[in-house]
Amino acid sequence: SNELKIAVGAMEIADKVVRDVMTKIEDVFMLPDTTVLNAKTVMEIVRMGYTRIPVYQQGDKNNVTDMLFVKDLALLDPDDNFTVKTVCGYHKHPVKFVMNDTPLPHLLEAFKKGEGHLAMVKRLINNDDGHDPSYELAGVVTLEDIVEEILQAEINDE
Ligand code: ADP
């Protein structure tokens, strides 16, 4: 049954955490919120082939404020020269965050409840100087990354 398959799949990922399957931040295609959406930039964005693009505040890549969905660009007139910030302010797709040591079954549950299916991954930076700990972005993780891990585990079992 499907339920049995899901249960078996959940066991395959039981001892894995987000950092094991995420796309590392240096490989993530992100955009600063000041990007002007003209014909050239829209073409570049579409060519990258991603469905969702994290948007950060210009000058601070650790501060992801929005998600740009490529489908949001479909009805845009490139001659209007809207910025990414303007388009994101219109659609307001929520940004989800998850810690890099979150167990994959927890993330799978969260993805099943929500609609987003993509989360920004945060990592704790341990400051030795006695200040409060801070966070930096470590990558992105999507439902696809979890599904791939489940399928890979099944292939390795055979
Ligand atoms: P997409 O629909 O954009 O292909 P998926 O959810 O199918 O996204 O994920 C496919 C792979 O691409 C996953 O490994 C995911 O971590 C990665 N990914 C998703 N969005 C981005 C992005 N903006 N930049 C880099 N990698 C991404």
Side-chain angles (χ1 to χ4, degrees), residues 109-123:
E109 277 307 310
F111 278 161
K112 278 160 70 182
K113 281 178 198 140
E115 311 101 61
H117 297 171
L118 180 148
M120 303 305 302
V121 183
K122 293 202 296 185
R123 147 173 74 209

Side-chain angles (χ1 to χ4, degrees), residues 40-75:
K40 182 170 173 280
T41 53
V42 167
M43 204 185 302
E44 282 168 3
I45 291 165
V46 171
R47 270 207 195 119
M48 291 304 292
Y50 296 110
T51 308
R52 295 147 299 190
I53 298 150
V55 173
Y56 60 90
Q57 191 177 45
Q58 165 80 45
D60 186 4
K61 282 198 173 185
N62 275 312
N63 188 11
V64 168
T65 54
D66 286 295
M67 297 299 303
L68 179 69
F69 283 28
V70 169
K71 68 173 163 64
D72 298 340
L73 303 175
L75 297 175

Side-chain angles (χ1 to χ4, degrees), residues 13-92:
I13 59 166
D15 56 350
K16 300 254 167 67
V17 296
V18 163
R19 87 166 76 77
D20 298 329
V21 301
M22 71 181 185
T23 298
K24 290 192 183 72
I25 196 68
E26 55 264 33
D27 298 323
V28 177
F29 179 61
M30 304 202 287
L31 287 170
D33 58 2
T34 50
T35 304
V36 175
L37 293 164
N38 54 33
K40 182 170 173 280
T41 53
V42 167
M43 204 185 302
E44 282 168 3
I45 291 165
V46 171
R47 270 207 195 119
M48 291 304 292
Y50 296 110
T51 308
R52 295 147 299 190
I53 298 150
V55 173
Y56 60 90
Q57 191 177 45
Q58 165 80 45
D60 186 4
K61 282 198 173 185
N62 275 312
N63 188 11
V64 168
T65 54
D66 286 295
M67 297 299 303
L68 179 69
F69 283 28
V70 169
K71 68 173 163 64
D72 298 340
L73 303 175
L75 297 175
L76 205 70
D77 184 344
D79 294 333
D80 285 338
N81 287 304
F82 286 130
T83 63
V84 165
K85 190 179 183 140
T86 300
V87 173
C88 287
Y90 182 75
H91 292 282
K92 292 200 170 71

Side-chain angles (χ1 to χ4, degrees), residues 8 12-13 24 26 34 71 83 93-94 99 102 139 152 158:
V8 170
E12 306 280 17
I13 59 166
K24 290 192 183 72
E26 55 264 33
T34 50
K71 68 173 163 64
T83 63
H93 303 295
M99 291 303 300
T102 303
Q152 198 52 52
E158 284 167 4

